[in-house]
C-alpha cells in the first residue's frame, strides 16, 4: 500500500478513526473520573556520619553517608517503620497497605533521601510523611548507637518537613487524555486498515478489470432520481449520469470495431446491482444517437422493465416464445424516439428452458435484423442460469458491478459462468458509484477515453491510439459521442 493509498483509505474510513478516538478519549475521561484522588506529601532527610577533623576523615565520613542512604531508603519503605508509624498515628490500616504508598529515593552522590507518601486525605498524607520521617530518625539512632552506649555512628535529620498538599497527584487528567487520544488514533487507524484488508468488495478499476479480464467501459454514478424514474430523458440532459451513459455508449462503439456487438446482454453477479436501470439507459443513450434500439426484458423471474418504463407487462418475450402472441403485437413503442421495448411477458414456469430454446435463438436473430441494437436486461448470474443462456446467444455481455457491494469472489464466479458457456464478455461497468468526494475511493469517471482505449485493447487490439485520442477529444468537446456519432447510420425503423 502506497502512502497515497493509505491517505485515501483514511479519507474513506475517517468515521472509524474518529469513532475510535472519541471512544478512547471518553474512556480516559471516565477512567479519570472513576479514579480516587490521591494526595502526595513529601519530606527530605539528611544523613550524616560522625567523622574526624582531618580532610581524609571528612571524606571518609561523607562516603559512608552516601553508602548509608541506599540502605536507609530500603528501611524507609520497610514493614518495621510502617508499623511504627501506624502505631504512632493510630491508623486503621495494616503495614503492607501503608508500605505500598511510601516511596523513598536516595539521590545519587548526595546524602539526601526524598520520602513521599500517597493518601486519599491530604492531611493524613502530610501527617504520615512527617511521623514516618520522625520515626525513622529515632530508628536510625537506635540502630547506629553502639552497644557501648557511645555516640551513634550516623544520624538522620529531617531537613524538610511535609506541607499540606493542595491538589491531588492522581488522576493525572492531562496525561490520561493524551494517552487516550494517542491510543484512539492508533486503534482507529489500525481498525480502518483491518477493515480495508477484510473488505472483499470491488472498489477499483484495476480490481474490476483483473477479475473480469475485460476493460472498464463505464462508471455510472449514484443518482437518487433514478429510484423514482429509472429512465433518463436524454434530450437536453447534461447531468453527470446522462454524461456517464453517453460515455458508456461511446466506449461500446469502440469495442470490436470489425464486428460490432449489436445484441448485448446486461447482467451482474448478484441481484440489485443496477442491471435493469443501466440496461434502460444504455438503450436510451444508443437511441439518442439516432440508432433504432430494442430493449428486451430477459428477466422472466422478476421482470421490472414494464414497471420501470410504464408499459404493459402481460405480453412480451415469454408470450412470443410460447407462440401466444406475435412479435409485432408484442413490441411496444415508447415515448422515447428510437426505443422499442419487448417486456418479459407473463412469468413462465420454465424460464431457462424457454430462453435456451431454438425459438429464442430464432427470435433474437429476427430482432437483430430489425434493429441496430438489441439490449437485453437479464437475471443475476449467480442466482440462475438464465443470463448465461441468453449471453451465449448474444454478441456480447456487459457485466455490472455495484461499486463497493459486488464481492470479488462472486464476480469471479459469475465471470466463470459466462466463460463456461463461451459467452463473449465485452466490458465491465461500475454502477451506483458514490459521487466524487463522498468516498475517497470514488473512481474518477472522467477518463473514459482511456477506459475505452484500454477496453478495446483487451479485445483484440484492433483499435489504434488514434481512436483513443479521438475518444478523449470527443469526450472533451461534445459530451463523449461527437467523434463516433458524427455520421450515424439511418435508423432502421
Ligand atoms: N445509478 C443509480 N443511482 C441510484 N439508484 C440506482 C441506480 N441504478 C439503480 N438504482 C436503484 O437500485 C435498485 C436496483 O436497481 P435495478 O432494479 O436496476 O437492479 P437490478 O440489478 O436489475 O436488480 P434485479 O437483480 O432485482 O433485477 C433500484 O431501486 C434502482 O432504482
Ligand atoms: Mg433487474
Amino acid at each position: 500500500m502506497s502512502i497515497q493509498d493509505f491517505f485515501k483509505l483514511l479519507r474513506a474510513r475517517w468515521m472509524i478513526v474518529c469513532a475510535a478516538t472519541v471512544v478512547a478519549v471518553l474512556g480516559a475521561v471516565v477512567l479519570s473520573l472513576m479514579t480516587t484522588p490521591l494526595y502526595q506529601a513529601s519530606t527530605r532527610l539528611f544523613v550524616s556520619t560522625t567523622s574526624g577533623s582531618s580532610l581524609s576523615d571528612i571524606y571518609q565520613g561523607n562516603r559512608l553517608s552516601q553508602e548509608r542512604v541506599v540502605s536507609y531508603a530500603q528501611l524507609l519503605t520497610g514493614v518495621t517503620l510502617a508499623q511504627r508509624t501506624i502505631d504512632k498515628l493510630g491508623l486503621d490500616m495494616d503495614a503492607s497497605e501503608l508500605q505500598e504508598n511510601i516511596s523513598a529515593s536516595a539521590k545519587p552522590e548526595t546524602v539526601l533521601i526524598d520520602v513521599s507518601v500517597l493518601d486519599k486525605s491530604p492531611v493524613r498524607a502530610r501527617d504520615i510523611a512527617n511521623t514516618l520521617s520522625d520515626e525513622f530518625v529515632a530508628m536510625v539512632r537506635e540502630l547506629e548507637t553502639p552497644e557501648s552506649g557511645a555516640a551513634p555512628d550516623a544520624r538522620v535529620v529531617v531537613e524538610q518537613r511535609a506541607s499540606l498538599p493542595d491538589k491531588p497527584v492522581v488522576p493525572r487528567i492531562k496525561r490520561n487524555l493524551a494517552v487516550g487520544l494517542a491510543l484512539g488514533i492508533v486503534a482507529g487507524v489500525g481498525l480502518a486498515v483491518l477493515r480495508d484488508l477484510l473488505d472483499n468488495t470491488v472498489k477499483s478499476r484495476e480490481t474490476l478489470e483483473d477479475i473480469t479480464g475485460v476493460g472498464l467501459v463505464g462508471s455510472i454514478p449514484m443518482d437518487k432520481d433514478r429510484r423514482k424514474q429509472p429512465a433518463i430523458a436524454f434530450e437536453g440532459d447534461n447531468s453527470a449520469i446522462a454524461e456517464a451513459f453517453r460515455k458508456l455508449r461511446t466506449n461500446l462503439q469502440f469495442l470490436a470495431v470489425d464486428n460490432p456487438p449489436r445484441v448485448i446482454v446486461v447482467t451482474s453477479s448478484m441481484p440489485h446491482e443496477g442491471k435493469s436501470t443501466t440496461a434502460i439507459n444504455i438503450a436510451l443513450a444508443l437511441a439518442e444517437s439516432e440508432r433504432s434500439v430494442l430493449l428486451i426484458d430477459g428477466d422472466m423471474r422478476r421482470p421490472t422493465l414494464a414497471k420501470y418504463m410504464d408499459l404493459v407487462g402481460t405480453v412480451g418475450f415469454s408470450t412470443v416464445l410460447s407462440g401466444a402472441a406475435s412479435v409485432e403485437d408484442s413490441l411496444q413503442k415508447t415515448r422515447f424516439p428510437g426505443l422499442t421495448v419487448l417486456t418479459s411477458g407473463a412469468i413462465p414456469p420454465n424460464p431457462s428452458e424457454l430462453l435456451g430454446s431454438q425459438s429464442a435463438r430464432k427470435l433474437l436473430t429476427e430482432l437483430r435484423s430489425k434493429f441496430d441494437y438489441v439490449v437485453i436486461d437479464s437475471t443475476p448470474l449467480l442466482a440462475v442460469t438464465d443470463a448465461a443462456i441468453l449471453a451465449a446467444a448474444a454478441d456480447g455481455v456487459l457485466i455490472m458491478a455495484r461499486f463497493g457491494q459486488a464481492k470479488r469472489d462472486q464476480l469471479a464466479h459469475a465471470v466463470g459462468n459466462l466463460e463456461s458457456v463461451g459467452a463473449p464478455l465485452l466490458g465491465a461497468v461500475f454502477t451506483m458509484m458514490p459521487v466524487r468526494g463522498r468516498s475517497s475511493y470514488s473512481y474518477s469517471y472522467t477518463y473514459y477515453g482511456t477506459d475505452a482505449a484500454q477496453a478495446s485493447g483487451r479485445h483484440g487490439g484492433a483499435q489504434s491510439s488514434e481512436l483513443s485520442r479521438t475518444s478523449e477529444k470527443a469526450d472533451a468537446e461534445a459530451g463523449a459521442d461527437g467523434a463516433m456519432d458524427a455520421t450515424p447510420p439511418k435508423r432502421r425503423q
Side-chain angles (χ1 to χ4, degrees):
M1 184 188 288
S2 71
I3 273 274
Q4 276 168 322
D5 290 341
F6 180 69
F7 281 110
K8 272 185 188 175
L9 182 151
L10 289 188
R11 242 183 80 192
R13 303 201 186 273
W14 63 271
M15 293 262 277
I16 297 181
V17 181
C18 287
T21 309
V22 169
V23 168
V25 170
L26 281 179
V29 171
V30 170
L31 199 76
S32 302
L33 291 176
M34 281 170 55
T35 308
T36 313
L38 289 179
Y39 293 83
Q40 185 175 23
S42 305
T43 62
R44 177 171 285 172
L45 307 180
F46 177 86
V47 178
S48 67
T49 42
T50 324
S51 58
S53 54
S54 73
L55 204 59
S56 73
D57 284 351
I58 292 169
Y59 177 75
Q60 279 295 331
N62 208 29
R63 289 280 309 172
L64 273 173
S65 301
Q66 283 176 14
E67 282 163 16
R68 271 187 159 83
V69 292
V70 180
S71 321
Y72 286 177
Q74 301 274 323
L75 288 175
L76 275 159
T77 53
V79 66
T80 314
L81 187 64
Q83 193 56 57
R84 280 174 75 153
T85 310
I86 288 169
D87 294 345
K88 184 86 182 198
L89 287 172
L91 298 174
D92 183 21
M93 61 169 75
D94 57 36
S96 59
E97 257 179 89
L98 181 58
Q99 269 180 288
E100 278 172 20
N101 291 328
I102 300 169
S103 60
S105 62
K107 294 195 169 198
E109 309 287 314
T110 70
V111 291
L112 299 173
I113 305 171
D114 284 327
V115 182
S116 296
V117 174
L118 282 174
D119 198 88
K120 288 177 210 162
S121 148
V123 175
R124 207 162 67 162
R126 179 199 59 191
D127 292 349
I128 293 174
N130 284 335
T131 309
L132 184 103
S133 302
D134 292 340
E135 283 303 306
F136 186 66
V137 170
M139 195 171 140
V140 167
R141 194 180 313 119
E142 286 160 23
L143 290 172
E144 298 286 1
T145 304
E147 275 186 13
S148 60
D153 295 336
R155 74 189 186 100
V156 175
V157 179
V158 182
E159 186 266 326
Q160 190 182 300
R161 296 193 73 76
S163 54
L164 192 67
D166 52 358
K167 32 179 209 257
V169 289
V170 173
R172 290 194 227 162
I173 294 173
K174 276 189 195 157
R175 193 205 61 169
N176 289 358
L177 288 182
V179 170
L181 185 74
L183 283 182
I185 292 173
V186 170
V189 171
L191 276 176
V193 172
L194 189 71
R195 232 4 259 275
D196 201 66
L197 289 176
L198 295 178
D199 188 352
N200 188 25
T201 62
V202 184
K203 281 197 178 121
S204 75
R205 173 172 133 183
E206 292 75 26
T207 315
L208 183 62
E209 292 183 342
D210 274 358
I211 296 173
T212 56
V214 286
L216 178 74
V217 292
S219 296
I220 310 303
M222 181 71 90
D223 178 11
K224 289 208 177 90
D225 292 346
R226 301 293 58 91
R227 304 224 164 99
K228 281 177 258 140
Q229 179 51 266
I232 301 167
F234 276 87
E235 206 180 309
D237 187 344
N238 291 323
S239 61
I241 191 163
E243 287 302 317
F245 277 108
R246 289 192 183 105
K247 287 168 184 173
L248 171 50
R249 170 185 67 198
T250 306
N251 288 349
L252 264 183
Q253 291 161 343
F254 278 127
L255 298 174
V257 280
D258 291 337
N259 188 17
R262 291 189 21 237
V263 179
I264 300 163
V265 168
V266 175
T267 186
S268 69
S269 55
M270 298 300 285
H272 311 306
E273 295 204 55
K275 293 178 292 297
S276 305
T277 309
T278 311
I280 291 172
N281 291 301
I282 291 174
L284 281 169
L286 289 166
E288 192 205 19
S289 64
E290 302 286 306
R291 266 73 167 187
S292 65
V293 184
L294 173 66
L295 175 63
I296 300 180
D297 195 342
D299 186 347
M300 292 188 183
R301 295 169 196 265
R302 285 198 300 188
T304 46
L305 288 194
K307 193 178 97 192
Y308 281 1
M309 307 230 19
D310 293 325
L311 298 168
V312 179
T314 44
V315 178
F317 202 12
S318 65
T319 29
V320 175
L321 291 178
S322 67
S326 70
V327 191
E328 288 70 29
D329 292 345
S330 308
L331 295 178
Q332 298 183 56
K333 289 250 179 266
T334 62
R335 63 181 194 279
F336 304 100
L339 181 68
T340 308
V341 174
L342 180 63
T343 59
S344 156
I347 296 179
N350 54 345
S352 309
E353 211 179 294
L354 217 50
L355 292 169
S357 64
Q358 276 304 320
S359 325
R361 289 201 171 238
K362 257 204 224 147
L363 179 61
L364 286 183
T365 313
E366 185 189 334
L367 293 171
R368 189 179 199 277
S369 65
K370 287 189 176 163
F371 294 90
D372 294 327
Y373 286 100
V374 178
V375 178
I376 310 175
D377 177 26
S378 68
T379 50
L381 282 160
L382 295 190
V384 281
T385 54
D386 303 9
I389 293 170
L390 274 173
D395 293 346
V397 180
L398 285 178
I399 189 157
M400 310 290 113
R402 183 170 173 176
F403 186 91
Q405 296 277 322
K407 302 261 190 317
R408 292 176 206 185
D409 47 343
Q410 290 172 341
L411 193 60
H413 196 166
V415 172
N417 284 4
L418 286 175
E419 278 167 1
S420 64
V421 295
L425 192 52
L426 293 172
V429 178
F430 261 137
T431 57
M432 291 186 247
M433 290 200 54
V435 284
R436 199 188 263 273
R438 288 272 301 283
S439 159
S440 64
Y441 283 97
S442 60
Y443 170 77
S444 164
Y445 43 86
T446 56
Y447 303 122
Y448 287 94
T450 318
D451 295 346
Q454 290 200 358
S456 55
R458 283 165 186 253
H459 285 276
Q463 288 67 36
S464 67
S465 56
E466 187 60 42
L467 271 183
S468 70
R469 277 204 299 279
T470 315
S471 158
E472 281 165 13
K473 192 163 168 266
D475 283 356
E477 286 173 2
D481 54 6
M484 294 302 290
D485 298 350
T487 50
K490 280 240 178 304
R491 216 176 247 158
R492 294 186 188 213
Q493 279 178 305

